[in-house]
């Protein structure tokens, strides 16, 4: 038998351990409550709006006093989000990846330190600030609300995310792999392109998907740049509709049918972000097991 | 310090009767402001095996990595001095390190075949850079893999990922990869220290065979290995200023039986390091 003092301390240590465990589990539960509440509430409110018409029609004015209420759909917003985010992606991916390569492969010098700092500041930038900047620089100059202005605002939000994840992923590539190529007389660009990037590829894709999920859900920068549009628009030089924008605008409407559509659009956004996040998880898991 | 340098020179008995393949002259290496190796002056004989031995942290690897200008790729690292490769200074500002690394190949401590590449693709990295044809590549794959005694083991699975090979096979693949570009000198940085005894033996046999066509410089922690494979041995140690110095160099048989520097004797008999 152990001395009484040891047993006493042992008991109190076990108690503390149990208490801490309960505390952490409890905190996790509390943190999960809002997530579950939001998801279930959005689903409950939004699923009613979903129907064939919701995905295939565009805005239709609510007619008052008639027997049946026709509400149309949000196809224009779905297409708009795809175009706005797609254009943003086309610009942000090469910029972000190349900046990330620079930061990872030339880490020591002064300019990369400055770029890294700016990138971090930009990551924490409120999105409305980015939107207003795009408004002043693009919308005011061109005298035109446009999808392109919105895309560029989103680019500013996406590039830092892609840059930093690319940098982190490239840094995980062991130097031994770089040296293997360099010792064979490979120039730096060749080493980076054919050795370093392929090894970090799925990590870079993860960063792109995260940036995509963030951009798809942004409302503030779009409010002041793409404005919104009740019709299906394909030109990036014209105002366009987007899902988060539509959800925001429709909640302000007095018609319950439109409020319901806002819920439907919100649900669709949540689903898009969720799918993106799940694919990130899958891509990451594949990378770890390889 | 002058006297020490003088004393060191007296312990260098590398052969003078044949023209050296590599002539190292006052080569130093720095990490930032700190000197990693004191000026080394040393001839490296052609088509023979020169082993570099010495305690950990005495600059053996740094010295070796300076010889193909790999040292300078590290942040804030630089070299001073000259290394003459057949009368051409590899540190000449006109000389591109990429060309140097073609003529002076390297095998690392950890086998480092490139992931995501097949066995054959690993061999042809250097040739790919030259834009070699498919036939040239196929020929080089067979020739290099035969040279490293790997051909019979892998000829039926050349398109398998290289990382599926065992550690010893991977290391021989890395050797084949550097041989594929037909270098003149091969640097080996403890090539067998991550391998089991049998794989180690195979590497040692290869080193001895390859010495008939290549000049080989091999860093090793294992003195028995140096004794088995090398014609010449360079013993490095940490100098008074905290940087690596060559304490003694000469024919392996002499270094191991009648070392001139008492430090060498201490190290070889296991009293130091």
């Amino acid at each position: 038998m152990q001395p009484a003092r040891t047993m006493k301390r042992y008991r109190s240590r076990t108690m503390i351990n149990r208490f801490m465990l309960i505390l952490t589990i409890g905190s996790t539960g509390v943190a999960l409550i809002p997530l579950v509440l939001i998801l279930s509430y959005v689903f409950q409110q939004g699923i009613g709006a979903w129907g064939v018409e919701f995905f295939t029609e565009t805005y239709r004015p609510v007619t008052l006093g008639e027997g049946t209420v026709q509400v149309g759909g949000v196809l224009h917003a779905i297409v708009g989000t795809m175009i706005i985010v797609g254009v943003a992606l086309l610009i942000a991916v090469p910029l972000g990846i190349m900046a990330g390569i620079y930061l990872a492969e030339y880490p020591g010098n002064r300019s990369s330190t400055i770029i890294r700092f700016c990138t971090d500041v930009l990551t924490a930038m409120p999105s409305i600030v980015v939107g207003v900047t795009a408004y002043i620089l693009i919308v005011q100059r061109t005298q035109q609300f446009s999808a392109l202005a919105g895309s560029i605002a989103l680019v500013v939000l996406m590039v830092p995310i892609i840059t930093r994840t690319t940098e982190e992923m490239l840094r995980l590539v062991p130097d031994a792999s770089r040296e293997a190529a360099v010792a064979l007389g490979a120039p730096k660009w060749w080493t980076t392109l054919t050795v370093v990037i392929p090894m970090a590829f799925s990590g870079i894709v993860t960063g792109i998907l995260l940036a995509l999920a963030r951009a798809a859900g942004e409302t503030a920068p779009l409010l002041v740049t793409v404005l919104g549009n009740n019709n299906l628009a394909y030109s990036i030089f014209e105002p366009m509709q987007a899902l988060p924008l539509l959800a925001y605008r429709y909640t302000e409407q007095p018609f319950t049918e439109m409020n319901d559509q806002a819920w439907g659009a919100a649900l669709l956004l949540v689903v898009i972000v969720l799918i993106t996040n799940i694919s990130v998880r899958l891509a990451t898991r594949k990378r770890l097991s390889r | 310090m002058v006297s020490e340098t003088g004393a060191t020179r007296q312990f260098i008995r590398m052969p003078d009767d044949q023209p050296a393949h590599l002539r190292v002259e006052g080569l130093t290496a720095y990490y930032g402001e700190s000197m990693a190796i004191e000026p080394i002056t040393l001839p490296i004989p052609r088509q023979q095996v020169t082993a570099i031995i010495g305690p950990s942290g005495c600059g053996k690897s740094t010295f070796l990595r300076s010889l193909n200008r790999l040292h300078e790729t590290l942040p804030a690292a630089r070299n001073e001095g000259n290394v003459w490769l057949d009368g051409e200074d590899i540190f000449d500002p006109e000389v591109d390190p990429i060309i140097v690394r073609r003529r002076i190949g390297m095998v690392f401590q950890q086998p480092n075949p490139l992931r995501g590449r097949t066995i054959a693709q690993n061999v042809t990295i250097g040739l790919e850079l030259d834009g070699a044809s498919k036939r040239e590549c196929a020929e080089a794959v067979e020739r290099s893999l035969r040279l490293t005694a790997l051909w019979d083991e892998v000829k039926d699975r050349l398109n398998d990922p290289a990382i599926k090979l065992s550690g010893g096979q991977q290391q021989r693949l890395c050797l084949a990869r550097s041989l594929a570009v037909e270098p003149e000198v091969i640097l080996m940085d403890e090539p067998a220290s991550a391998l089991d005894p049998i794989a180690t033996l195979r590497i040692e046999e290869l080193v001895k065979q390859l010495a008939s066509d290549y000049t080989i410089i091999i860093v090793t922690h294992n003195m028995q290995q140096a004794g088995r494979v090398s014609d010449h041995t360079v013993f490095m140690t940490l100098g008074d200023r905290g940087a690596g110095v060559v304490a003694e160099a000469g024919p392996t048989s002499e270094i191991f039986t009648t070392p001139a520097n008492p430090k060498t004797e201490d190290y070889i008999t296991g009293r130091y390091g």
Side-chain angles (χ1 to χ4, degrees):
Chain A
M1 194 60 203
Q2 295 291 322
R5 198 172 61 132
T6 307
M7 288 315 289
K8 202 176 145 211
R9 294 295 297 267
Y10 167 77
R11 241 172 255 129
S12 71
R13 281 203 306 257
T14 331
M15 290 295 282
I16 291 171
N17 200 35
R18 197 166 300 154
F19 175 71
M20 284 315 219
L21 183 65
I22 291 168
L23 201 66
T24 48
I25 292 175
S27 308
T28 312
V30 170
L32 281 176
I33 288 171
L35 178 70
V36 174
L37 278 182
I38 289 171
L39 282 181
S40 59
Y41 195 66
V42 169
F43 183 80
Q44 206 182 329
Q45 297 285 318
I47 197 72
W50 281 24
V52 178
E53 215 177 72
F54 182 79
F55 294 100
T56 54
E57 300 278 325
T58 60
Y59 169 77
R60 196 174 297 164
V62 178
T63 43
L64 291 170
E66 310 275 325
T68 50
V69 181
Q70 291 182 313
V71 288
V74 299
L75 178 68
H76 56 309
I78 298 173
V79 171
T81 286
M82 279 163 62
I83 293 175
I84 294 166
V85 175
V87 169
L89 209 60
L90 281 180
I91 305 171
V93 165
L95 280 180
I97 290 182
M98 284 197 262
I101 291 172
Y102 180 72
L103 292 186
E105 301 298 315
Y106 301 89
N109 59 34
R110 186 187 295 262
S111 63
S112 62
T113 312
I114 295 170
I115 294 170
R116 194 173 297 116
F117 177 73
C118 293
T119 308
D120 287 347
V121 171
L122 215 52
T123 313
M125 187 74 74
S127 57
I128 184 66
V129 176
V130 176
V132 169
T133 310
Y135 172 81
I136 293 166
L137 290 182
I138 304 167
V139 177
Q140 269 195 349
R141 299 262 168 106
T142 56
Q143 294 291 305
Q144 171 76 46
F145 287 101
S146 68
L148 185 62
S151 294
I152 290 171
L154 293 185
V155 165
V156 176
L157 295 171
M158 290 165 86
V159 164
I161 302 174
I162 299 176
T163 301
R164 286 308 297 247
T165 35
T166 301
E167 183 196 358
E168 296 303 326
M169 292 303 135
L170 294 187
R171 285 205 180 181
L172 290 179
V173 175
D175 277 338
S177 300
R178 289 187 181 85
E179 287 189 342
V182 171
L184 284 164
K188 186 140 191 157
W189 67 266
W190 193 92
T191 309
T192 306
L193 221 60
T194 57
V195 178
V196 182
I197 291 188
M199 286 181 77
F201 186 73
S202 53
I204 296 172
V205 171
T206 305
I208 294 170
L209 289 179
L210 283 173
L212 184 76
R214 159 122 202 241
E218 279 294 346
T219 316
L222 299 186
L223 270 175
V224 292
T225 51
V226 304
L227 192 66
N229 191 336
N230 281 335
N231 302 310
L232 196 53
Y234 296 105
S235 167
I236 57 169
F237 303 107
E238 285 170 15
M240 210 178 255
Q241 192 58 284
L243 281 170
L245 207 52
L246 179 138
Y248 173 75
R249 297 250 196 255
Y250 281 20
T251 50
E252 293 180 318
Q253 299 294 324
F255 309 106
T256 47
E257 290 79 12
M258 293 184 83
N259 299 156
D260 288 345
Q261 282 206 329
W263 281 111
L267 177 61
L268 186 57
L269 258 180
V270 169
V271 169
I272 291 173
V273 171
L274 220 59
I275 288 175
T276 313
N277 269 311
I278 290 169
S279 20
V280 167
R281 292 269 169 231
L282 291 179
T284 323
R285 191 189 303 161
K286 207 172 155 196
R287 174 166 52 95
L288 291 178
S289 67
R290 195 174 54 180
Chain B
M1 289 307 143
V2 176
S3 65
E4 197 205 42
T5 315
T8 305
R9 187 161 297 159
Q10 142 203 342
F11 292 130
I12 291 179
R13 289 164 287 144
M14 297 298 270
D16 294 332
D17 49 333
Q18 48 185 331
H21 197 178
L22 275 175
R23 184 169 289 281
V24 182
E25 263 181 26
L27 178 70
T28 62
Y30 291 85
Y31 290 100
E33 285 311 303
S34 87
M35 192 189 244
I37 48 176
E38 285 189 32
I40 292 179
T41 297
L42 205 65
I44 307 284
R46 185 185 299 275
Q47 290 172 2
Q48 296 197 342
V49 180
T50 302
I52 303 174
I53 60 169
S56 296
C58 71
K60 304 186 295 289
S61 289
T62 305
F63 174 51
L64 194 76
R65 291 165 57 91
S66 300
L67 297 180
N68 68 343
R69 297 190 60 177
L70 201 59
H71 172 67
E72 67 196 64
T73 63
L74 298 173
R78 64 192 163 87
N79 289 109
E80 280 171 17
N82 312 88
V83 175
W84 304 93
L85 172 61
D86 270 335
E88 251 182 282
D89 185 9
I90 67 165
F91 286 106
D92 189 302
E94 300 277 300
V95 171
D96 191 330
I98 286 170
I99 306 299
V100 172
R101 293 175 198 136
R102 282 311 182 80
R103 296 176 66 185
I104 306 179
M106 187 162 195
V107 176
F108 296 84
Q109 182 172 4
Q110 285 291 335
N112 57 355
L114 291 184
R115 302 180 70 122
R117 279 181 163 255
T118 66
I119 295 169
Q121 281 171 343
N122 258 283
V123 177
T124 56
I125 294 166
L127 296 161
E128 230 174 81
L129 285 160
D130 292 343
S133 71
K134 274 199 175 138
R135 231 191 65 204
E136 278 176 282
C137 286
E139 281 168 10
V141 168
E142 180 168 352
R143 190 186 65 240
S144 315
L145 291 177
R146 278 192 193 283
L147 272 176
T148 54
L150 203 57
W151 177 252
D152 290 328
E153 292 166 46
V154 302
K155 66 182 172 200
D156 299 322
R157 49 187 177 127
L158 290 174
N159 296 321
D160 276 10
I163 48 165
K164 277 194 180 172
L165 296 174
S166 73
Q169 288 174 326
Q170 287 188 16
Q171 194 61 305
R172 279 182 285 148
L173 179 65
C174 292
L175 184 54
R177 180 173 69 186
S178 30
L179 292 175
V181 292
E182 299 180 21
E184 302 161 38
V185 181
I186 301 170
L187 310 175
M188 298 185 173
D189 191 357
E190 302 189 39
S193 65
L195 306 181
D196 63 73
I198 293 169
T200 301
L201 215 62
R202 304 200 71 159
I203 294 281
E204 289 180 8
E205 282 165 9
L206 281 173
V207 169
K208 280 193 277 191
Q209 281 168 25
L210 291 171
S212 57
D213 294 307
Y214 302 91
T215 300
I216 296 174
I217 308 175
I218 179 170
V219 165
T220 176
H221 254 115
N222 182 332
M223 275 179 297
Q224 286 74 33
Q225 186 172 71
R228 283 193 296 263
V229 302
S230 70
D231 304 297
H232 303 276
T233 297
V234 176
F235 172 55
M236 287 182 72
T237 178
L238 215 54
D240 300 337
R241 284 181 287 180
V245 293
V246 171
E248 186 164 358
T252 299
S253 52
E254 283 180 36
I255 297 272
F256 277 85
T257 53
T258 54
N261 190 332
K263 276 187 183 172
T264 315
E265 190 172 354
D266 284 355
Y267 181 71
I268 285 168
T269 53
R271 255 176 293 178
Y272 154 71

